PDB file of all heavy atoms in Angstrom:
ATOM      1  N   ILE A 693      50.501  10.571   7.581  1.00  0.00           N
ATOM      2  CA  ILE A 693      51.334   9.557   6.914  1.00  0.00           C
ATOM      3  C   ILE A 693      51.394   9.800   5.426  1.00  0.00           C
ATOM      4  O   ILE A 693      50.314   9.938   4.823  1.00  0.00           O
ATOM      5  CB  ILE A 693      50.899   8.130   7.182  1.00  0.00           C
ATOM      6  CG1 ILE A 693      50.805   7.719   8.690  1.00  0.00           C
ATOM      7  CG2 ILE A 693      51.797   7.151   6.524  1.00  0.00           C
ATOM      8  CD1 ILE A 693      50.088   6.469   8.941  1.00  0.00           C
ATOM      9  N   SER A 694      52.565  10.001   4.862  1.00  0.00           N
ATOM     10  CA  SER A 694      52.734  10.192   3.461  1.00  0.00           C
ATOM     11  C   SER A 694      53.572   9.066   2.878  1.00  0.00           C
ATOM     12  O   SER A 694      54.637   8.724   3.442  1.00  0.00           O
ATOM     13  CB  SER A 694      53.336  11.567   3.117  1.00  0.00           C
ATOM     14  OG  SER A 694      53.652  11.714   1.816  1.00  0.00           O
ATOM     15  N   ILE A 695      53.139   8.382   1.685  1.00  0.00           N
ATOM     16  CA  ILE A 695      53.761   7.282   1.195  1.00  0.00           C
ATOM     17  C   ILE A 695      54.128   7.562  -0.265  1.00  0.00           C
ATOM     18  O   ILE A 695      53.360   8.035  -1.024  1.00  0.00           O
ATOM     19  CB  ILE A 695      52.956   6.077   1.289  1.00  0.00           C
ATOM     20  CG1 ILE A 695      52.595   5.752   2.812  1.00  0.00           C
ATOM     21  CG2 ILE A 695      53.705   4.784   0.720  1.00  0.00           C
ATOM     22  CD1 ILE A 695      51.683   4.508   3.036  1.00  0.00           C
ATOM     23  N   GLU A 696      55.392   7.243  -0.582  1.00  0.00           N
ATOM     24  CA  GLU A 696      55.841   7.400  -2.003  1.00  0.00           C
ATOM     25  C   GLU A 696      56.554   6.087  -2.445  1.00  0.00           C
ATOM     26  O   GLU A 696      57.298   5.439  -1.690  1.00  0.00           O
ATOM     27  CB  GLU A 696      56.875   8.475  -2.135  1.00  0.00           C
ATOM     28  CG  GLU A 696      56.352   9.890  -2.040  1.00  0.00           C
ATOM     29  CD  GLU A 696      55.325  10.214  -3.095  1.00  0.00           C
ATOM     30  OE1 GLU A 696      55.467   9.665  -4.205  1.00  0.00           O
ATOM     31  OE2 GLU A 696      54.508  11.255  -2.935  1.00  0.00           O
ATOM     32  N   PRO A 697      56.087   5.563  -3.510  1.00  0.00           N
ATOM     33  CA  PRO A 697      55.133   6.132  -4.471  1.00  0.00           C
ATOM     34  C   PRO A 697      53.637   6.037  -3.921  1.00  0.00           C
ATOM     35  O   PRO A 697      53.372   5.277  -3.110  1.00  0.00           O
ATOM     36  CB  PRO A 697      55.235   5.256  -5.745  1.00  0.00           C
ATOM     37  CG  PRO A 697      55.771   3.987  -5.215  1.00  0.00           C
ATOM     38  CD  PRO A 697      56.608   4.306  -4.042  1.00  0.00           C
ATOM     39  N   ARG A 698      52.788   6.890  -4.422  1.00  0.00           N
ATOM     40  CA  ARG A 698      51.372   6.974  -3.985  1.00  0.00           C
ATOM     41  C   ARG A 698      50.644   5.657  -4.155  1.00  0.00           C
ATOM     42  O   ARG A 698      49.762   5.299  -3.459  1.00  0.00           O
ATOM     43  CB  ARG A 698      50.720   8.057  -4.624  1.00  0.00           C
ATOM     44  CG  ARG A 698      51.139   9.549  -4.152  1.00  0.00           C
ATOM     45  CD  ARG A 698      50.665   9.785  -2.721  1.00  0.00           C
ATOM     46  NE  ARG A 698      50.974  11.152  -2.286  1.00  0.00           N
ATOM     47  CZ  ARG A 698      50.653  11.628  -1.153  1.00  0.00           C
ATOM     48  NH1 ARG A 698      49.904  11.019  -0.303  1.00  0.00           N
ATOM     49  NH2 ARG A 698      50.931  12.965  -0.856  1.00  0.00           N
ATOM     50  N   THR A 699      51.030   4.901  -5.157  1.00  0.00           N
ATOM     51  CA  THR A 699      50.400   3.654  -5.297  1.00  0.00           C
ATOM     52  C   THR A 699      50.719   2.603  -4.236  1.00  0.00           C
ATOM     53  O   THR A 699      50.057   1.559  -4.186  1.00  0.00           O
ATOM     54  CB  THR A 699      50.879   3.071  -6.728  1.00  0.00           C
ATOM     55  OG1 THR A 699      52.245   2.892  -6.722  1.00  0.00           O
ATOM     56  CG2 THR A 699      50.537   4.020  -7.902  1.00  0.00           C
ATOM     57  N   ARG A 700      51.752   2.912  -3.446  1.00  0.00           N
ATOM     58  CA  ARG A 700      52.260   1.966  -2.560  1.00  0.00           C
ATOM     59  C   ARG A 700      52.726   0.713  -3.085  1.00  0.00           C
ATOM     60  O   ARG A 700      52.701  -0.313  -2.384  1.00  0.00           O
ATOM     61  CB  ARG A 700      51.114   1.770  -1.361  1.00  0.00           C
ATOM     62  CG  ARG A 700      50.884   2.876  -0.585  1.00  0.00           C
ATOM     63  CD  ARG A 700      49.768   2.753   0.426  1.00  0.00           C
ATOM     64  NE  ARG A 700      48.481   2.605  -0.195  1.00  0.00           N
ATOM     65  CZ  ARG A 700      47.547   1.616   0.160  1.00  0.00           C
ATOM     66  NH1 ARG A 700      47.876   0.796   1.139  1.00  0.00           N
ATOM     67  NH2 ARG A 700      46.426   1.530  -0.442  1.00  0.00           N
ATOM     68  N   ARG A 701      53.156   0.696  -4.303  1.00  0.00           N
ATOM     69  CA  ARG A 701      53.605  -0.497  -5.002  1.00  0.00           C
ATOM     70  C   ARG A 701      54.934  -0.243  -5.654  1.00  0.00           C
ATOM     71  O   ARG A 701      55.218   0.767  -6.325  1.00  0.00           O
ATOM     72  CB  ARG A 701      52.547  -0.921  -6.129  1.00  0.00           C
ATOM     73  CG  ARG A 701      51.269  -1.204  -5.561  1.00  0.00           C
ATOM     74  CD  ARG A 701      50.237  -1.528  -6.707  1.00  0.00           C
ATOM     75  NE  ARG A 701      48.877  -1.765  -6.171  1.00  0.00           N
ATOM     76  CZ  ARG A 701      48.423  -2.981  -5.818  1.00  0.00           C
ATOM     77  NH1 ARG A 701      49.325  -4.033  -5.987  1.00  0.00           N
ATOM     78  NH2 ARG A 701      47.276  -3.183  -5.281  1.00  0.00           N
ATOM     79  N   VAL A 702      55.949  -1.202  -5.478  1.00  0.00           N
ATOM     80  CA  VAL A 702      57.172  -1.060  -6.081  1.00  0.00           C
ATOM     81  C   VAL A 702      57.590  -2.464  -6.593  1.00  0.00           C
ATOM     82  O   VAL A 702      57.046  -3.531  -6.244  1.00  0.00           O
ATOM     83  CB  VAL A 702      58.323  -0.632  -5.083  1.00  0.00           C
ATOM     84  CG1 VAL A 702      58.011   0.678  -4.606  1.00  0.00           C
ATOM     85  CG2 VAL A 702      58.412  -1.617  -3.962  1.00  0.00           C
ATOM     86  N   SER A 703      58.490  -2.436  -7.588  1.00  0.00           N
ATOM     87  CA  SER A 703      58.918  -3.691  -8.280  1.00  0.00           C
ATOM     88  C   SER A 703      60.161  -4.215  -7.508  1.00  0.00           C
ATOM     89  O   SER A 703      61.079  -3.536  -7.181  1.00  0.00           O
ATOM     90  CB  SER A 703      59.315  -3.379  -9.682  1.00  0.00           C
ATOM     91  OG  SER A 703      60.051  -4.466 -10.245  1.00  0.00           O
ATOM     92  N   LEU A 704      60.159  -5.476  -7.291  1.00  0.00           N
ATOM     93  CA  LEU A 704      61.292  -6.205  -6.642  1.00  0.00           C
ATOM     94  C   LEU A 704      62.426  -6.080  -7.474  1.00  0.00           C
ATOM     95  O   LEU A 704      63.654  -5.978  -6.967  1.00  0.00           O
ATOM     96  CB  LEU A 704      60.953  -7.663  -6.417  1.00  0.00           C
ATOM     97  CG  LEU A 704      59.983  -7.988  -5.230  1.00  0.00           C
ATOM     98  CD1 LEU A 704      59.692  -9.398  -5.184  1.00  0.00           C
ATOM     99  CD2 LEU A 704      60.585  -7.435  -3.935  1.00  0.00           C
ATOM    100  N   ALA A 705      62.302  -6.087  -8.805  1.00  0.00           N
ATOM    101  CA  ALA A 705      63.446  -6.000  -9.763  1.00  0.00           C
ATOM    102  C   ALA A 705      64.225  -4.736  -9.653  1.00  0.00           C
ATOM    103  O   ALA A 705      65.449  -4.664  -9.806  1.00  0.00           O
ATOM    104  CB  ALA A 705      62.980  -6.303 -11.197  1.00  0.00           C
ATOM    105  N   SER A 706      63.465  -3.658  -9.337  1.00  0.00           N
ATOM    106  CA  SER A 706      64.107  -2.360  -9.256  1.00  0.00           C
ATOM    107  C   SER A 706      64.907  -2.195  -7.985  1.00  0.00           C
ATOM    108  O   SER A 706      65.918  -1.369  -7.925  1.00  0.00           O
ATOM    109  CB  SER A 706      63.072  -1.267  -9.365  1.00  0.00           C
ATOM    110  OG  SER A 706      62.330  -1.260  -8.148  1.00  0.00           O
TER     111      SER A 706
END
Side-chain angles (χ1 to χ4, degrees):
I693 304 173
S694 174
I695 300 177
E696 291 292 340
R698 288 288 185 176
T699 60
R700 293 179 288 138
R701 299 174 183 271
V702 296
S703 167
L704 286 174
S706 71

